[in-house]
Amino acid sequence: ALDLPESLYSSKVLNAVKPEKDVDGLSSVNLGRLVHGDVCDCLVPPTVCAVMELLEDIGGKKVLLVGARGAEGAALQSVLQRRGAAVLSCHWKAPQLQSELRHADAVVFGSAKPHDVPVSCTKPGATVINCAHDPLSGKRKGRKITCKNMVKNMERWIQSQQCRKWDLHSLKLQPLSPVPSDIEISRAQSPKAVDVLAKEIGLLTDEIEIYGQTKAKVRLSLLERLKDQPDGKYVLVAGITPTPLGEGKSTVTVGLVQALTAHLNINSFACLRQPSQGPTFGVKGGAAGGGYAQVIPMEEFNLHLTGDIHAITAANNLLAAAIDARILHENTQSDKSLYNRLVPVVNGVRGFSAIQLARLRRLGINKTDPETLTEEEISKFVRLDIDPSTITWQRVVDTNDRFLRKITVGQAQFDIAVASEIMAILALTTSLQDMKERLGRMVVANDKKGQPVTAEDLGVTGALAVLMKDAIKPTLMQTLEGTPVFVHAGPFANIAHGNSSVLADKIALKLVGEKGFVVTEAGFGADIGMEKFFNIKCRASGLVPSVVVLVATVRALKMHGGGPNVTAGAPLKKEYTEENLQLVADGCCNLQKQIQITQLFGVPVVVALNVFKTDSPAEVDLVCKIAKESGAFDAVPCNHWSAGGKGAVKLAQAVEKAANQKNSFKYLYSLELPIAEKIRIIAQKVYGAQDIELSPAAQSQVDRYTRQGFGNLPICMAKTHLSLSHQPERKGVPTGFILPISDVRASIGAGFIYPLVGTMSTMPGLPTRPCFYDIDLDPITEQVKGLF
């Protein structure tokens, strides 16, 4: 608490104090709130409080302010007027001073009277209050009120640390028909400034890092502040087996939170993955949702965002370069020469770095003085002896580029950036320290004795963490209706675990409060994304899901029922545009199977049926009837694509009811089981396979990982997303097949073993006509064109 002399009452000094710490209420922010009547958000200056206590019944009376300048004068005038007084303000040398003193019912002196200014007698019975500083002490009156303000501010601060019902102002929608393109809808809405949104949902000023007007990184310190707050309800959006017709999981995720927050006044958060440049410029064209249920601005969501994927690319390729460099230097230098370069003399002193000391400890060498190592210890320290034939670390680029499948650098090839293990680590980590440890555990190859070589052995862990220090923070954005969204991490679901980050979910669950909802999405069908969400992500986070929302469409179910193939860009066949109840009934077998998969984990499931204008009421009713008969808690038709959150209100109500049901969540398998047995359980119980068949290479890897102590990790199946089986063309519910495991690899840092089912590409290619044909930039307005 600063007690300033009047000579320092300048706006520069007063505004140097944060508004929330301004116990005297003299900052421009507080004064603005006071003048505008925001009584709950402002503090009345102590001097003003003292005056108002003395002037009890002031309504309708005339009050003269003499020499009341600056913030205190403005605050006093505002409060007096709000109490109904007629206020006149003048300075000491004003010609009309004498006259006004005779007519005023109360006079307040805001500053000391100059010696050369005579003051005539005031009106008989008038109250005279002197607020001037004591010239002898230089101190102001009103200490008791200052202390009251300090208490009031502290109470506010404590309240700000608690979860509460959000004071969120939703953005209004005016849906058009026919529904315009996604980018037209996005641009027609004016998003809130991200700092305004952050304040509405309870974030503090120093907990966000703003990127432009509509994006902000959220600092992990929030988790410490809210560590004692109960979590909200945890909802997963999954889907039936995908088809080229699309099911709309992202759209359902966004529509559901718009319904919960903007229409039912329930705190809710959407947690989505960051889209890769590959699909954005390739086939899909974006992942922000669609229609009137999307994240805005959609261009920023789909293009670069805050650069997290670029950070992953840089970190991944730094590690790849470190592997090649180490092999080269070990092949061309003696132990002594290597040692002298790895532990150089700097300013006459030789010392180990922290990461080198950690390596010495892992080798069982408990020495800290570089001059004391024996020749044998030096050799152990400098020689990683990487076997080039065992290198598993690939270089990455965030573009679909099939030509890079054939290029080899040393023994490593190219993957798409989102297939990097570093992306999986970002999605599964729980803290900065945990991320550093996971990065260090990444196995990049084996040495010539068959032992794993890690990023920690290469000494690159700290550098990787530095490149990832901003990427670890979730990015805050908003939906079309102004409700909050976290965008963070984007691992593919067929070659990784396909879920957004644990950190985003954890932060969101604290922010929504005990009665709120966090809705996150798992990639592809429930057999892939949802299974990995439960068995991998929930194990890493310790979080327990409340409800699964299973997304389906009539059109996609018709394809699973035997409908004709769909070609991108070609008109839909009549089977998909005309009523065909038999085709729908036949296709519901896939929906039933996905419901059964959800039930394996003991979580209530609500089916969300995305309705298209070509769907007949009878088709919609049939799907909902079959879903409920198959064990779904409820099945709800949804129109959020064309109507926004209003079209998903019934879905939101069903989810809220389901979240209050008894939850008996359980994992599918024990981690203690052998690797092959865990694979078999997933294949048989989830995919419906008769059995699995491991190739000799896969069996050899299983044996190796078991020997190396990695057998107790969960399984992340790398499998086609287009079928429950390994054969993309087999729709519906295939049975009786043997699931071939061609290879088994390990992401030790991320913490899972990933078997390759059949042939899986980790570097997609561009189609004949990629989306980039339609994407352009207007050089005048700088607006992006053609993005979906």
Side-chain angles (χ1 to χ4, degrees), residues 597-620:
I597 294 169
T598 309
Q599 292 172 325
L600 291 173
F601 297 92
V603 182
V605 57
V606 173
V607 171
L609 186 65
N610 258 335
V611 176
F612 288 77
K613 62 181 180 181
T614 54
D615 301 340
S616 74
E619 290 174 328
V620 170

Side-chain angles (χ1 to χ4, degrees), residues 238-253:
I240 62 172
T241 301
T243 69
L245 291 163
E247 290 67 56
K249 293 192 303 298
S250 299
T251 310
V252 167
T253 301

Side-chain angles (χ1 to χ4, degrees), residues 275-288:
S276 166
Q277 177 179 299
T280 299
F281 288 111
V283 178
K284 195 172 183 181

Side-chain angles (χ1 to χ4, degrees), residues 29-42:
V29 171
N30 186 79
L31 184 61
R33 291 170 178 164
L34 184 65
V35 171
H36 281 91
D38 298 332
V39 181
C40 295
D41 286 335
C42 71

Side-chain angles (χ1 to χ4, degrees), residues 90-106:
C90 67
H91 54 81
W92 283 107
K93 295 186 179 182
Q96 73 272 28
L97 176 61
Q98 301 284 336
S99 172
E100 296 298 342
L101 281 169
R102 295 190 191 98
H103 296 94
D105 299 306

